[in-house]
Amino acid sequence: MELFSDYPPSSFYFKVVFTLTGGLTDTSFQDVSGITGELNAEEVEEGGENRFVHLLPKRAKHANLVLKRGIAGMNSPLVLWCKSVIEGDFSASIETMPVMVYLMNEYQVPVRGWIVDNAYPVKWDIGEFNSTKNEVALETIELAYSTLNRII
């Protein structure tokens, strides 16, 4: 039984782990996106030479981490965290936390993993309700964060 192979892993088996107050919370999601890093570059024109433009690296920027799932109950630690940040009046400081995303293989072993640090919710969207469709009601949570690092 080989736990790691050279074959690219499937994208449908993943795990998201939050480090909420009171311990780790492993939450099920339908969709995860926004694991994106991009390096900005500044154009600097060559002085006295019109043929050259140099691109110099500036800083990395990241997209928001976007998580989609069925609407959870009000006692969910993730819902309580989103509620305190988004519906709060800034009388208390925003609690940030690391979030780990793991891509799993068929043996339930992580084959790729990323950690986003200092994450906090910036958008909480409840999907549309439509009486002509028979679908699960979804909520989308967007998290801003400071750094993205691949850990596996």
Side-chain angles (χ1 to χ4, degrees):
M1 175 171 74
E2 186 178 341
L3 293 180
F4 301 99
S5 71
D6 291 333
Y7 195 75
S10 299
S11 67
F12 65 83
Y13 189 20
F14 57 90
K15 178 167 82 169
V16 180
V17 179
F18 289 84
T19 310
L20 294 166
T21 303
L24 293 176
T25 301
D26 186 356
T27 308
S28 297
F29 290 94
Q30 174 183 327
D31 186 60
V32 175
S33 62
I35 301 174
T36 305
E38 181 180 339
L39 188 63
N40 287 329
E42 177 181 2
E43 286 188 5
V44 177
E45 296 178 4
E46 181 80 28
E49 179 68 58
N50 293 330
R51 299 181 298 149
F52 301 107
V53 175
H54 302 282
L55 291 175
L56 302 178
K58 287 173 60 173
R59 66 176 62 97
K61 72 176 186 176
H62 309 285
N64 288 342
L65 187 65
V66 181
L67 310 169
K68 293 182 184 178
R69 68 176 182 176
I71 294 177
M74 284 302 295
N75 60 350
S76 160
L78 185 56
V79 168
L80 293 173
W81 181 51
C82 290
K83 186 171 173 41
S84 71
V85 173
I86 293 175
E87 296 176 4
D89 59 359
F90 296 111
S91 60
S93 62
I94 293 176
E95 179 186 0
T96 64
M97 67 187 65
V99 178
M100 284 81 61
V101 178
Y102 297 102
L103 189 58
M104 311 293 280
N105 68 9
E106 64 270 20
Y107 304 109
Q108 301 179 3
V109 175
V111 293
R112 300 289 182 272
W114 299 264
I115 184 169
V116 298
D117 284 320
N118 300 316
Y120 60 94
V122 293
K123 185 175 180 182
W124 191 13
D125 179 47
I126 304 302
E128 90 175 12
F129 304 139
N130 187 330
S131 64
T132 63
K133 294 182 180 177
N134 184 16
E135 297 176 347
V136 173
L138 296 178
E139 65 183 346
T140 302
I141 300 168
E142 285 193 35
L143 304 173
Y145 56 92
S146 60
T147 59
L148 168 70
N149 291 300
R150 183 169 166 180
I151 53 179
I152 298 175

